[in-house]
Structures are given as structure tokens and as C-alpha cells.
Amino acid sequence: MPQKPVVTRSLVSLPGGDPLYLEPFWMKHAASSAVLVAGWHRMSYRFSDGSVISQELEKHIRKVHAIAGNAVTDGRYIVVGAGSTHLLGAAVYALSTGNSSSPAKVVASTPYYPLYKQQVDYFRAVDFEFEGDASLLNNTSDTTSRIIEFVTSPNNPDCQLRKAVLNGPSVRTIHDHAYYWPHYSAIPAPADEDLMIFTISKLTGHAGTRFGWALVKDEAVYQRMLEYISMSELVTSKDTQLRALQLLKVVLEGDARQIFDFAFHRMRDRWEKLSKTLSTSKRFSLQVIAPQYCTFYQKVRGPSPAYAWLKCEREEDGDCAVVLRSANIIGREGTMFNTGSRYVRLSLLKRDDDFNFLLNMIKKLVSEEYRAENMGRLQSIIG
Amino acid sequence: MPQKPVVTRSLVSLPGGDPLYLEPFWMKHAASSAVLVAGWHRMSYRFSDGSVISQELEKHIRKVHAIAGNAVTDGRYIVVGAGSTHLLGAAVYALSTGNSSSPAKVVASTPYYPLYKQQVDYFRAVDFEFEGDASLLNNTSDTTSRIIEFVTSPNNPDCQLRKAVLNGPSVRTIHDHAYYWPHYSAIPAPADEDLMIFTISKLTGHAGTRFGWALVKDEAVYQRMLEYISMSELVTSKDTQLRALQLLKVVLEGDARQIFDFAFHRMRDRWEKLSKTLSTSKRFSLQVIAPQYCTFYQKVRGPSPAYAWLKCEREEDGDCAVVLRSANIIGREGTMFNTGSRYVRLSLLKRDDDFNFLLNMIKKLVSEEYRAENMGRLQSIIG
């Protein structure tokens, strides 16, 4: 057997986005969330009613959105896929299908999630190409090309709520709402866009299950997304659909307050600890997220973001990822998100141990900064 | 909510390839094949050893091949995906990655599985295009383009064992061995090609699970297939991997004799009944599959194919699918496999009820033919 080669990890943000902070919630709900899969059940491509998507699962998806108040599902079709990654590809194919002689231009506002560009570049399809930052097309007079704008709200990496920056008859949007849950953000109003993508990874923490869904207004786009699913893997795994259904059933217990409260408090607590630690630092700064009215909690609430978008403020800390790595903190370089190397994305989604380690390392950096400032020993300590 | 549109079923051969004849086997092994998935287990993208593919599952895949004697796994990397459909796409991308200025030409020998062409056409990638029948490239002097030949053995639809028809420095092959199990074919020797694809759908019948694997000789090709997996859906569902592992454990019980014997006898029995029914017909014929020495059964054995590749022999039965449909038999039209409309593929993989219905309808057709011949009442009966 050949030596196992190392998989190129730089391609995707696997470790950073793994929401293992939710593990204790599922330990507490071990009995109700367990699934028994009989060997002879669900062998077929289809469910017994002939469909390839569980109707029961669809109902539960609509219900969880109704309770969270984060998306309108009336008049929407639902496409399920192997995680939101699968559905992002389906959406780009579906929206670029050719009524134009030139490829669709795919854009996103900087800083943006690296996979959008990586995936579009990887597929090398004649019907679309990645054009970079959305603002570059702002003043274009080109109305012949289809434009596809990824709108990530809350954004990955900086966790700001966002709107599309482009509009016009040739523009189509893909709203990636992976983080638009009470866990990570105020919910000012239910999202009501043409094509919205969600994933169970960030809702329940089950990233390894690979299950996501899209809410789609237009029937033709819905049909083309189904075509992508069937061309890429025939149907979405029924075992995956079964597990997702069971998880959503537990999510919905007690009107979903249990999981939303657990997740929100955990994330808010982490953010407050990190913010407080960095509040006196002149060397490092964090993104500012304004408090906002949340329809789920029916009050103005502060931030509880999934990521810290940290900036190195000093001239000499030009490569912020290197600065942090020397303190044993591994984040995602800002350059991956199409922005400068002064930024690093730090995941706040991991297990308590990982977060506490991060917090202690940050505390150490800040106390070093403090000592250096106060004792004029900066060079000797950094050196 | 909008009216549910009907999914375009013509795109893929979902119903035909669903091996539900294996359901009774799994009912008999209900206890050992059941899987309990705890809500808080396997939430991460990774397994606890940091890998994205279960090492235990890999071991079991190698073991089942060793016992079946149908593929060499030594010196092979294993890529897992969401069914063989997912891996076919990964293989085409991996083999066409660009050292050539012109797109790779993807070919297969007629009759071929429709998805090869549908998938390549659908992705519309600049690096490859579907060229049709492999024999068209046989005499080409073009050695600048990469050529990718799909070799399906046993073939879908006609279940013949096949070899590549092209060779040369620019040719790469993808061997689709979905049906290369003792269930469906003699196993003359272990397959030993560069890139071989298998699926659990045809081995255990769990098509709805969506699990397949590729055995890959070349490390660079392996790496590029992993890149496709990560770009299309990050990682392969861990729930799916868990279920596949449990199924393979049961397959391996008693040196895999139980499932291979069950499946082989069931398929052989069906083939014999169908062959016998059609043996007197002049109107319909079946493919001829030669008996062959099987290393698994250590004897010469007759056919037990997954499909009947039925031909309408008469001039007036030009559209064989229509002829059969008028007798309530729904098969896949020969035209879908790039061959004439005189052929129809009939699935022998379904539940007993479905097969018995098929057999009865065929018996009815044959007895009508017999009566018409003997009583000179052909016109009145067909009319």
C-alpha cells in the first residue's frame, strides 16, 4: 500500500468552521437525538411515496424557520443537498444556465468566503467565471452578461449582516445564510430573497453529516438545481436525510428555545471574554458589530459572532497570521478572504478546550504588549 | 406553497437500477446490520484521528475485494464519495486536468450507460467534452488530446465483460465495475486497472445511502479526485461512511458467502426463468452471455446479469419500448444507450413482485405470439 499522502488542507476551511461547541447540547439530548437505522430500511433511491426528498423533513425545515423567524418559506421550493457546499455549486449552475453568449460573472463583497471563488474556478465551466469583488461591477455598463452575486449574511469572516450591493435585470443573487440563526446574530426580519442557502452544520453542529437546503422562489431555478443534484450524485443520501430529520425534531422541542438559548449564550459569552481581553490592546482590534433588535429574542441584543475578525494594527505586524502563529494561534489568513494580511479569522465555534486555549494565548499576547509598553522592553520580549 | 413540480425522471435511470431484490437478505440480517447513531457522535468534518475517510472502512473495502477476488487493492489509494455518480465526475475532472491545450475527449463503447454523457455535457467544463463512441477514435492520428475512455465491465446495459478498446500514451481509462461482483458475473480474475470505481448500491442494494469508492493507482490522480470531493461537498458524509462500514461488516460474515450466494442464486434464477420464457420467441431475443470460469465459485458458471438487453426482432416492431409499454412493461429505451430503438433494457434487480409481474407480462406477449403464429390471427391480436 502506498504511503498515505497528506490532503491539501489549505483548500477549504475545514477545521475553522467545525461547530463542536454544540457537542454538549447533544450529549444532554442523547436519548431523543439517537437514530436507529435498520439494515433493510430505506435501501431505495426513493422514499416509499416515490419522492427523493423526505416530505417530513421538508415540513420540519419550514417549521424551524417559522420559529426562528429567519426566513420566509411560503411559496418556496426546497432543494436538499450534501451540505451547503453542494448547494452553492447547484445554485451557480442553475443561475448561469445559458441565455447569454458570455459567461456569467460571479462576484462577492470582500472579505468573502474563499470557497465561492475556489469552487467556481475549479469547475472551469464555460457558463460562469469568478470576477472577484462585487464593487468592481458597480459602475459597469455591461448589462449583457448575467451577474451572480454571493451575499453572505452574516458574513464569513466578519459576521456582519449584509445586503446585495448590485442590482438590475441581469443580476441574480445567492444568499448564503449559513450563520443567520439566533446563535450568531440578531434576526431583524425573516430573509425573503429569491435563493437562500442554509446548512445543518451551523444550526446543530453536525458538519460531518453533510446536509444543507436551499429555499428557492423560482420554479425553473429549482428544477435546474435538482438537475445539478442528480448529475452530481443522483439523489441526496436518505441516511443523511433521516439523521437531519431526527436532529430537527430535537431542535424543535420546546419551540427551539433550548438549542437557540444554549448556542446564543455560549457564543455571546465567548465574544464577551475575547472582547474584554482585547479592549485595552492597541496592537490588536476586533470587528465592531452593532447591537440590533432581534425578533427572536424580542429585544435589542449584542453580538455573538461565529468568528473573530482580528486585525493587527501595528506597522511591523504586516503578516498578522505569522504574529499569531508565533503565539501558537492558528487562524485563517486575511488573504484567503481577498483582503490584506493584516487580518486573521479566528474560529469561536470549537470545543471549550480550544476556545479557552485561544483565550489564554490572546491574554498572554496582550499582557506582553502591556508589559512592553510599560517597561520599554518591547524589543527584548518580541525578540 | 407552490404546486410540486415533477422532477425530470428521464435524466437518470433511478428506478431501473434500484437493487431491491436484496431487501430480504437484510431483513434476515436485521440485528447485525442495524446502526445506532448517537446525536453527539461524529459531528465534526473529521474522524477522531484527523482523517476525513474512516480508516476502518478502508480496511473493510480492501477485505471485501480480497474475498470476492474482483479487484487488486494493494498499492491502491481509496477515494470515497456519495455513490459512484459522484466518483465518475471526480475521475473525469482528475484525468482531464490540463497539460493539454485542447479539451480531453471522453468516450465509451456503445451501448453505454447514459450518465457518462449526461454528466460530462452537464458540467460544460473547458477541459473535457463527450465525443461519443470509443471506436470513432480508434483510427485517429490525434495524439495531442487526452482521451478518457469509460470501460464498464460488466457493461450497463448488456452485462458483457469488457476491456478498453483504445490504448496509447494519451489514453486514460475509468473502469466502472459497479456490477463486477459474483452476484452479476463470473469473476475471471481480479481487476487491476489504474482507476476502478465501485458502489455499495449494487453490492449490498443500498442505493439510497449514496456510497461508492474508487481504487486509484496514481497518487496525483488520487489527490485530484480528493480535490473534486472537497470542492463539490467538502467531505463525504460520516453518517454514510458509518452505515457503509456496518453493511460491509455483515457482508464479510462467513467469508461473504451468504450475500454472494443469496444474490447470485436470485439473479441466476431470474435470468433462467426469463431466458426460458423467451427461448421459443422469434419476436424477442436476449443478449447472449457466455459461461465462464469464476475464480470466486471455482467453476464455470452461467449468466446472472443485472439487466436483460432485449431486442425486438421484427421489422414492424421498430420502437421496441413502445411495443413493451403496450404490454405494461416499462424499460429503458435503447436510444438512451446510444443504440437503436430496437433495444430495451429491463431491470432484473427489483423486488420479487416486480420481477414476477415482468415475467408474467413477457409470458403473455410470448403466448400471444405463439397463438398468432399458429392460428394465422396475427393481425387481429396485435391490433
Side-chain angles (χ1 to χ4, degrees):
Chain A
M1 182 167 46
Q3 285 290 304
K4 274 278 155 198
V6 177
V7 184
T8 320
R9 299 299 183 204
S10 61
L11 283 170
V12 282
S13 321
L14 288 190
D18 222 347
L20 289 169
Y21 76 100
L22 283 157
E23 211 175 51
F25 176 84
W26 295 103
M27 285 177 175
K28 270 201 300 193
H29 294 81
S32 57
S33 63
V35 179
L36 182 72
V37 189
W40 55 279
H41 278 180
R42 280 169 288 269
M43 290 175 62
S44 169
Y45 292 106
R46 298 176 183 284
F47 290 93
S48 48
D49 64 0
S51 67
V52 295
I53 299 180
S54 157
Q55 303 301 301
E56 188 73 0
L57 179 55
E58 272 207 35
K59 270 186 225 158
H60 280 74
I61 288 171
R62 292 182 199 275
K63 205 164 170 188
V64 76
H65 283 303
I67 288 178
N70 66 339
V72 173
T73 63
D74 290 347
R76 296 320 203 273
Y77 299 95
I78 295 184
V79 184
V80 303
S84 58
T85 308
H86 194 202
L87 294 163
L88 296 172
V92 171
Y93 267 95
L95 293 177
S96 62
T97 299
N99 53 359
S100 165
S101 54
S102 56
K105 295 173 176 175
V106 183
V107 296
S109 288
T110 301
Y112 52 74
Y113 180 44
L115 188 92
Y116 302 145
K117 174 175 160 50
Q118 289 166 350
Q119 194 181 55
V120 163
D121 287 351
Y122 183 83
F123 282 130
R124 287 172 63 77
V126 296
D127 293 318
F128 51 80
E129 57 196 19
F130 199 80
E131 283 280 312
D133 192 80
S135 62
L136 298 175
L137 295 183
N138 232 338
N139 301 312
T140 182
S141 56
D142 174 10
T143 53
T144 57
S145 291
R146 170 64 51 91
I147 294 168
I148 299 173
E149 182 184 353
F150 276 111
V151 185
T152 321
S153 182
N155 191 40
N156 178 357
D158 64 8
C159 308
Q160 306 291 347
L161 290 176
R162 276 186 167 181
K163 300 275 177 207
V165 302
L166 302 177
N167 57 60
S170 60
V171 177
R172 299 291 179 276
T173 54
I174 300 170
H175 278 79
D176 181 345
H177 286 314
Y179 300 92
Y180 196 48
W181 296 104
H183 316 21
Y184 310 110
S185 171
I187 306 293
D192 190 23
E193 296 99 7
D194 290 347
L195 198 171
M196 304 182 273
I197 295 177
F198 292 86
T199 168
I200 210 161
S201 308
K202 305 306 185 270
L203 169 59
T204 72
H206 294 78
T209 291
R210 311 310 304 131
F211 181 77
W213 62 93
L215 304 176
V216 185
K217 207 181 266 179
D218 184 76
E219 190 189 327
V221 173
Y222 164 71
Q223 290 288 1
R224 289 202 297 268
M225 287 184 75
L226 288 182
E227 193 181 2
Y228 178 91
I229 303 293
S230 84
M231 286 296 110
S232 56
E233 52 187 56
L234 289 192
V235 297
T236 298
S237 168
K238 287 165 70 182
D239 300 328
T240 299
Q241 292 188 50
L242 172 69
R243 190 174 197 202
L245 174 60
Q246 190 63 34
L247 295 170
L248 291 188
K249 281 180 180 168
V250 179
V251 164
L252 288 168
E253 282 173 11
D255 272 353
R257 288 304 289 237
Q258 292 180 63
I259 191 165
F260 291 152
D261 284 354
F262 176 94
F264 167 55
H265 290 130
R266 191 68 60 118
M267 295 308 293
R268 186 186 56 180
D269 180 58
R270 290 180 174 191
W271 179 252
E272 285 178 353
K273 282 178 177 152
L274 186 66
S275 306
K276 197 176 156 209
T277 303
L278 285 167
S279 60
T280 57
S281 173
K282 289 180 185 114
R283 191 178 182 193
F284 306 107
S285 68
L286 289 174
Q287 79 261 44
V288 176
I289 298 172
Q292 232 183 120
Y293 186 80
C294 175
T295 53
F296 181 76
Y297 282 116
Q298 301 188 295
K299 63 178 178 190
V300 174
R301 44 158 286 189
S304 58
Y307 302 108
W309 184 233
L310 187 127
K311 187 179 179 188
C312 284
E313 295 284 352
R314 285 186 189 156
E315 191 71 39
E316 63 268 33
D317 292 341
D319 191 335
C320 193
V322 169
V323 172
L324 294 178
R325 212 172 294 133
S326 70
N328 290 319
I329 298 168
I330 298 180
R332 297 263 149 208
E333 303 87 338
T335 48
M336 288 191 69
F337 303 89
N338 197 39
T339 188
S341 57
R342 295 202 159 269
Y343 288 92
V344 171
R345 190 195 77 173
L346 301 175
S347 174
L348 306 178
L349 297 167
K350 300 184 184 185
R351 289 197 180 94
D352 279 346
D353 278 359
D354 293 310
F355 175 75
N356 291 334
F357 179 83
L358 168 69
L359 193 65
N360 285 332
M361 291 300 111
I362 296 274
K363 277 182 182 162
K364 210 175 142 208
L365 277 174
V366 171
S367 76
E368 280 171 10
E369 179 192 342
Y370 182 79
R371 270 186 289 155
E373 274 190 359
N374 283 281
M375 298 187 240
R377 290 193 287 115
L378 184 64
Q379 286 311 316
S380 64
I381 291 172
I382 288 184
Chain B
M1 182 166 47
Q3 285 290 305
K4 276 276 155 198
V6 177
V7 183
T8 320
R9 300 298 183 204
S10 60
L11 284 170
V12 283
S13 321
L14 286 190
D18 220 348
L20 289 170
Y21 76 99
L22 284 157
E23 211 175 50
F25 177 84
W26 295 103
M27 285 177 174
K28 269 201 301 194
H29 293 81
S32 58
S33 63
V35 179
L36 181 71
V37 188
W40 55 279
H41 278 181
R42 282 169 287 269
M43 290 176 61
S44 170
Y45 293 106
R46 300 176 182 285
F47 289 94
S48 48
D49 64 0
S51 67
V52 294
I53 299 179
S54 157
Q55 302 301 300
E56 188 73 0
L57 178 56
E58 272 207 36
K59 270 187 225 158
H60 281 74
I61 288 171
R62 292 182 198 275
K63 205 164 170 187
V64 77
H65 284 302
I67 288 177
N70 66 338
V72 174
T73 63
D74 290 348
R76 295 320 202 275
Y77 299 95
I78 295 184
V79 184
V80 303
S84 58
T85 308
H86 194 203
L87 294 162
L88 296 171
V92 172
Y93 267 95
L95 293 176
S96 62
T97 298
N99 53 0
S100 165
S101 55
S102 57
K105 294 174 177 176
V106 183
V107 296
S109 287
T110 300
Y112 52 75
Y113 179 44
L115 188 92
Y116 302 146
K117 174 175 160 49
Q118 288 166 351
Q119 195 181 54
V120 163
D121 287 350
Y122 183 83
F123 283 132
R124 288 172 63 77
V126 297
D127 293 318
F128 51 80
E129 58 196 19
F130 199 79
E131 284 280 312
D133 192 78
S135 63
L136 298 174
L137 295 184
N138 233 337
N139 300 313
T140 181
S141 56
D142 173 10
T143 54
T144 56
S145 291
R146 170 65 50 90
I147 293 167
I148 299 172
E149 182 185 353
F150 276 110
V151 185
T152 322
S153 182
N155 192 39
N156 178 357
D158 64 6
C159 309
Q160 307 291 347
L161 290 176
R162 278 187 165 179
K163 300 274 179 208
V165 302
L166 302 176
N167 58 58
S170 60
V171 176
R172 299 291 180 278
T173 54
I174 299 169
H175 279 78
D176 181 346
H177 286 315
Y179 301 91
Y180 196 48
W181 295 104
H183 316 20
Y184 310 111
S185 172
I187 307 293
D192 190 23
E193 298 99 5
D194 290 347
L195 199 170
M196 304 182 273
I197 294 177
F198 292 86
T199 167
I200 210 161
S201 308
K202 305 307 185 269
L203 169 58
T204 72
H206 293 79
T209 291
R210 311 309 305 131
F211 182 77
W213 63 93
L215 305 175
V216 185
K217 207 181 265 179
D218 184 75
E219 190 190 325
V221 173
Y222 163 70
Q223 289 287 0
R224 290 202 295 268
M225 287 184 74
L226 289 183
E227 193 181 1
Y228 178 90
I229 303 292
S230 84
M231 285 296 111
S232 57
E233 52 187 58
L234 289 192
V235 297
T236 298
S237 168
K238 288 167 70 183
D239 300 327
T240 300
Q241 292 189 52
L242 172 70
R243 190 173 196 200
L245 173 60
Q246 190 63 33
L247 295 170
L248 291 187
K249 282 181 179 167
V250 178
V251 164
L252 289 168
E253 282 172 12
D255 272 352
R257 288 303 289 237
Q258 292 181 63
I259 190 163
F260 291 152
D261 284 354
F262 176 95
F264 168 54
H265 291 129
R266 190 69 60 118
M267 296 308 295
R268 187 186 56 181
D269 179 59
R270 290 181 175 191
W271 180 252
E272 286 178 352
K273 283 180 176 151
L274 186 66
S275 307
K276 198 177 156 210
T277 303
L278 285 168
S279 61
T280 57
S281 174
K282 289 180 187 113
R283 190 178 182 193
F284 305 106
S285 68
L286 289 174
Q287 77 264 44
V288 176
I289 299 172
Q292 230 181 122
Y293 186 79
C294 176
T295 53
F296 182 77
Y297 282 116
Q298 301 187 296
K299 63 178 179 191
V300 173
R301 46 157 284 190
S304 56
Y307 303 106
W309 184 231
L310 188 126
K311 186 179 179 187
C312 282
E313 295 284 351
R314 285 187 189 157
E315 192 71 39
E316 64 268 33
D317 292 341
D319 191 335
C320 192
V322 169
V323 172
L324 294 177
R325 212 171 296 134
S326 70
N328 289 319
I329 298 168
I330 297 180
R332 298 261 150 210
E333 304 87 336
T335 47
M336 286 191 70
F337 303 90
N338 196 38
T339 188
S341 57
R342 295 201 158 270
Y343 288 92
V344 171
R345 190 195 77 174
L346 301 175
S347 173
L348 306 177
L349 298 168
K350 300 184 185 186
R351 290 197 179 94
D352 279 345
D353 279 358
D354 294 310
F355 175 75
N356 291 334
F357 179 83
L358 169 69
L359 193 65
N360 285 333
M361 292 300 109
I362 295 274
K363 277 180 181 161
K364 209 175 142 209
L365 277 174
V366 171
S367 76
E368 280 171 10
E369 178 191 342
Y370 181 80
R371 270 186 289 156
E373 274 189 359
N374 282 281
M375 299 188 235
R377 292 196 285 119
L378 184 64
Q379 287 310 318
S380 64
I381 291 173
I382 287 184

